[in-house]
């Protein structure tokens, strides 16, 4: 009987130590998170806005509905917007930006060829993104009008 009592007491003491150890581990402060908050550049924000606008325009073209007849003024901000990678602003970027703006302007100003101008504008986006920041290419392709 004494042996059983002694064994029970030992098991009880051991199990209590393990519980204390677990409680101590729970109470320890956690290491600082390695999560890094990403802030979009001005250019990335403008491109998000353009994507939404162009998705709306695509739907209007498909439904044969009217759209505004002039390029929204925020498109002029593209020339000076801060890029995610500032080294991307080079001759290629400037050339592509001018081609894009010309194609986008035609979408608004020439309704008789709107679908062709729209697809040309989307293709100019894809051409630039094939060289600079290829990540959004698949998303941009969704704008194309079959």
């Amino acid at each position: 009987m004494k042996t059983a009592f002694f064994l029970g007491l030992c098991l009880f003491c051991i199990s209590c130590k393990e519980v204390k150890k677990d409680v101590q581990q729970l109470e320890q402060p956690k290491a600082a998170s390695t999560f890094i908050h990403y802030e979009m550049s001005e250019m990335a924000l403008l491109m998000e806005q353009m994507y939404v606008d162009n998705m709306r325009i695509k739907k209007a073209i498909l439904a044969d509905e009217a759209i505004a007849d002039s390029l929204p003024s925020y498109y002029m901000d593209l020339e000076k917007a801060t890029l995610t990678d500032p080294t991307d602003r080079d001759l290629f970027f400037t050339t592509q930006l001018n081609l894009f703006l010309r194609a986008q302007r035609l979408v608004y100003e020439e309704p008789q060829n709107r679908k062709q101008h729209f697809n040309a504008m989307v293709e100019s986006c894809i051409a630039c993104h094939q060289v600079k920041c290829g990540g959004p290419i698949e998303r941009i392709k969704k704008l194309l009008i079959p």
Side-chain angles (χ1 to χ4, degrees):
M1 182 74 162
K2 281 186 177 184
T3 308
F5 177 74
F6 182 71
L7 273 172
L9 184 60
C10 286
L11 288 174
F12 178 74
C13 290
I14 291 172
S15 66
C16 286
K17 283 186 178 180
E18 292 300 315
V19 171
K20 285 183 181 178
K21 191 177 195 180
D22 290 341
V23 171
Q24 286 175 348
Q25 288 175 347
L26 290 174
E27 291 175 354
Q28 290 178 357
K30 295 187 181 203
S33 173
T34 57
F35 178 74
I36 298 172
H37 179 70
Y38 172 72
E39 288 191 37
M40 294 176 77
S41 68
E42 291 174 340
M43 183 62 76
L45 288 169
L46 285 169
M47 288 187 180
E48 284 296 324
Q49 185 176 0
M50 288 186 304
Y51 183 83
V52 170
D53 284 350
N54 281 307
M55 191 56 83
R56 179 187 50 78
I57 292 170
K58 175 183 176 177
K59 288 177 183 174
I61 292 170
L62 290 170
D64 200 28
E65 297 173 354
I67 63 168
D69 59 358
S70 64
L71 191 68
S73 61
Y74 76 84
Y75 278 83
M76 296 306 108
D77 296 338
L78 292 169
E79 294 175 324
K80 61 182 186 261
T82 304
L83 300 173
T84 302
D85 180 357
T87 63
D88 280 341
R89 190 177 301 279
D90 55 14
L91 181 59
F92 174 81
F93 174 84
T94 304
T95 302
Q96 288 302 121
L97 177 61
N98 289 329
L99 291 171
F100 164 75
L101 288 172
R102 186 175 312 128
Q104 185 78 63
R105 197 172 276 116
L106 289 173
V107 171
Y108 287 93
E109 295 173 359
E110 292 188 12
Q112 65 276 14
N113 295 316
R114 190 162 277 152
K115 178 181 172 182
Q116 293 80 8
H117 294 312
F118 186 86
N119 281 337
M121 174 274 301
V122 174
E123 291 293 342
S124 74
C125 294
I126 293 169
C128 186
H129 279 273
Q130 286 174 334
V131 176
K132 310 274 186 182
C133 185
I137 290 176
E138 288 307 311
R139 185 175 180 216
I140 295 167
K141 286 180 179 179
K142 292 177 184 176
L143 288 170
L144 288 169
I145 300 172

